[in-house]
């Protein structure tokens, strides 16, 4: 028992002198715990995966709401001005831009462009398409290329945010 206790104490980082002193006090667990104040022991509360997932989802939703608000403010201020190069677009945004360019009808007033904007210290990418100069489709992506918001509007109706597919 004395050898086992010494091995445990050594593994825990105690010196052989301390291990010997504790062994002289008695070969019991009580001798080990007597030197530890119960108030000194801090047991962290368990973090369940559900709690982490909920917190992450809340943070993502608040950033999405901030991105929507930033986009609406930019529209009110005259539109987005910082274009995004095709090379810097994350894959999801690039695919959406390519799809928009392929599906837009040919003719004046039809365009699709990619922009970037800063939202709460993070970059958001926006793919925006005008159809016949009076209808708008918008897709907002995070920096990883994940679609976080999409909306539609026209000259007759304000921009409305739609559920994600």
């Amino acid at each position: 028992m004395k050898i086992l206790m010494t091995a445990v104490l050594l593994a825990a980082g105690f010196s052989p002198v301390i291990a010997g002193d504790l062994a002289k006090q008695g070969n019991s667990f009580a001798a080990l715990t007597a030197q530890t104040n119960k108030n000194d022991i801090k047991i962290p509360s368990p973090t369940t995966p559900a709690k982490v997932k909920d917190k992450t989802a809340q943070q993502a939703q608040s950033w999405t709401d901030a991105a929507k608000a930033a986009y609406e403010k930019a529209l009110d201020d005259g539109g987005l001005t910082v274009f995004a190069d095709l090379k810097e677009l994350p894959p999801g945004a690039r695919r959406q831009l390519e799809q928009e360019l392929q599906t837009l009808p040919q003719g004046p007033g039809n365009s699709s462009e990619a922009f970037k904007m800063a939202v709460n210290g993070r970059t958001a990418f926006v793919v925006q398409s005008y159809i016949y100069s009076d209808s708008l489709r918008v897709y907002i992506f995070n920096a990883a290329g994940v679609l976080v918001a999409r909306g539609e509007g026209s000259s007759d109706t304000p921009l409305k945010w739609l559920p994600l597919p």
Side-chain angles (χ1 to χ4, degrees), residues 84-101:
D85 292 324
L86 189 60
K87 294 178 221 170
E88 68 184 322
L89 285 177
R94 186 177 312 124
R95 275 192 304 276
Q96 187 65 48
L97 178 62
E98 290 169 352
Q99 180 180 349
E100 289 290 305
L101 291 171

Side-chain angles (χ1 to χ4, degrees), residues 10-155:
L10 286 174
F14 289 102
S15 71
V17 174
I18 294 172
D21 289 344
L22 288 176
K24 288 177 188 173
Q25 290 179 11
N27 294 331
S28 68
F29 182 70
L32 291 173
T33 58
Q35 294 186 358
T36 304
N37 185 350
K38 290 181 182 177
N39 294 331
D40 292 343
I41 300 174
K42 303 232 189 298
I43 300 173
S45 62
T47 304
T48 62
K51 285 182 183 179
V52 171
K53 187 176 181 180
D54 289 345
K55 185 176 180 182
T56 304
Q58 289 172 352
Q59 289 172 341
Q61 184 58 44
S62 67
W63 186 82
T64 298
D65 292 340
K68 290 176 182 178
Y71 179 77
E72 289 172 353
K73 182 179 179 338
L75 279 183
D76 291 343
D77 292 345
L80 297 171
T81 58
V82 181
F83 289 93
D85 292 324
L86 189 60
K87 294 178 221 170
E88 68 184 322
L89 285 177
R94 186 177 312 124
R95 275 192 304 276
Q96 187 65 48
L97 178 62
E98 290 169 352
Q99 180 180 349
E100 289 290 305
L101 291 171
Q102 289 176 0
T103 59
L104 279 177
Q106 296 295 319
N110 298 327
S111 66
S112 189
E113 299 168 316
F115 298 92
K116 61 183 175 180
M117 62 183 183
V119 178
N120 293 346
R122 295 171 47 195
T123 302
F125 292 94
V126 178
V127 174
Q128 159 180 297
S129 297
Y130 283 101
I131 303 102
Y132 301 120
S133 300
D134 67 350
S135 295
L136 170 70
R137 281 194 302 240
V138 61
Y139 303 88
I140 300 177
F141 296 86
N142 64 17
V146 176
L147 178 65
V148 296
R150 70 183 184 111
E152 292 181 353
S154 70
S155 57

